[in-house]
Amino acid sequence: MTVATAAAAPADEQDTAKRRQILEGARAVFLAQGFDGASMNDVARGAAVSKGTLYAYFPSKEALFEALVREGRARQAERFATLTDDLPPAETLRRFGVSLMEMMATPESVAQLRAIIGVTAKFPQIGRAFYEAGFAHGVEKLAAYLAAETARGRLAVAEPGMAATQFLDLCKAGLLQRLLFGVDETLARAQIEANVARAVATFMAAFGPR
């Protein structure tokens, strides 16, 4: 049985309040102690459940951590609600970029990314899960929006997937690295807005309507 299969089994039967309780407790423990520093005993105490209950839902620390990573995909859904055709593409992209960067700049998101980078060499399935649930999912949603706007004649994007990747990278450029390496503890709203404004200007210069 793979880690993903083992972690998914209880959730497939019923996404219970107990499972949510365990995930919330585990998130706090992992953020405070890191993946290597935290034990299943710590998680059980943090989630206020017995070890038997914990293992009934998640047979290993790796399975639990991967479930947390995948669960983050659902929590990102509100970010993609800003991808609407109600506004010109430049404004829609600006709002999306600011919302995305505000989420990525939270201490919780930075701590999670550091933890995932730290465990990926030993547990590559966790890195893949994070990539699929985070970056790849974002590219997929943004690419669908870019393709739709191109069909409407408001953008000129030949490769929506690549263009989506480039826009996301432009939004993060220079800021995410400063957070990951501890140069900055937080980002001011003005920093985020300025970076995203440059990203949108660059993107529209390349992919605006011809």
Side-chain angles (χ1 to χ4, degrees), residues 12 22 53 55 58 77 100 109 112 119 121 130 132 134 136 139 144 152 165 174 186 189 199:
D12 290 342
I22 292 170
T53 298
Y55 279 106
F58 303 100
L100 176 72
S109 293
Q112 183 189 49
V119 304
F130 181 77
E132 292 166 3
V139 167
R152 295 183 66 189
T165 298
T186 60
R189 171 84 180 200

Side-chain angles (χ1 to χ4, degrees), residues 48-180:
V49 298
S50 68
K51 284 185 67 177
T53 298
L54 176 59
Y55 279 106
Y57 281 85
F58 303 100
S60 69
K61 187 168 69 169
E62 295 77 35
L64 175 55
F65 195 79
E66 184 175 350
L68 274 173
V69 169
R70 293 191 183 279
E71 185 258 356
R73 173 172 176 164
R75 302 176 72 191
Q76 292 180 25
E78 62 188 66
R79 310 293 165 185
F80 303 115
T82 59
L83 293 175
T84 169
D85 60 8
D86 295 341
L87 296 168
E91 176 60 16
T92 296
L93 290 171
R94 186 194 69 79
R95 294 188 181 194
F96 173 73
V98 169
S99 177
L100 176 72
M101 287 305 301
E102 285 182 330
M103 181 272 294
M104 294 189 69
T106 63
E108 178 180 335
S109 293
V110 174
Q112 183 189 49
L113 183 53
R114 287 173 176 157
I116 289 166
I117 291 171
V119 304
T120 294
K122 187 175 181 181
F123 302 105
Q125 75 275 12
I126 292 177
R128 287 193 295 268
F130 181 77
Y131 177 82
E132 292 166 3
F135 186 77
H137 181 57
V139 167
E140 179 184 357
K141 293 295 185 181
L142 181 55
Y145 168 77
L146 298 179
E149 290 299 284
T150 295
R152 295 183 66 189
R154 301 206 297 183
L155 289 175
V157 179
E159 300 179 75
M162 179 57 68
T165 298
Q166 291 169 336
F167 179 72
L168 294 176
D169 286 346
L170 285 169
C171 288
K172 296 181 291 184
L175 296 185
L176 184 58
Q177 294 90 333
R178 294 181 68 85
L179 290 172
L180 283 176

Side-chain angles (χ1 to χ4, degrees), residues 10-11 13-23 57:
E13 295 166 5
Q14 184 180 11
D15 189 11
T16 64
K18 187 63 67 177
R19 184 176 189 273
R20 170 62 52 192
Q21 179 182 337
I22 292 170
L23 288 173
Y57 281 85

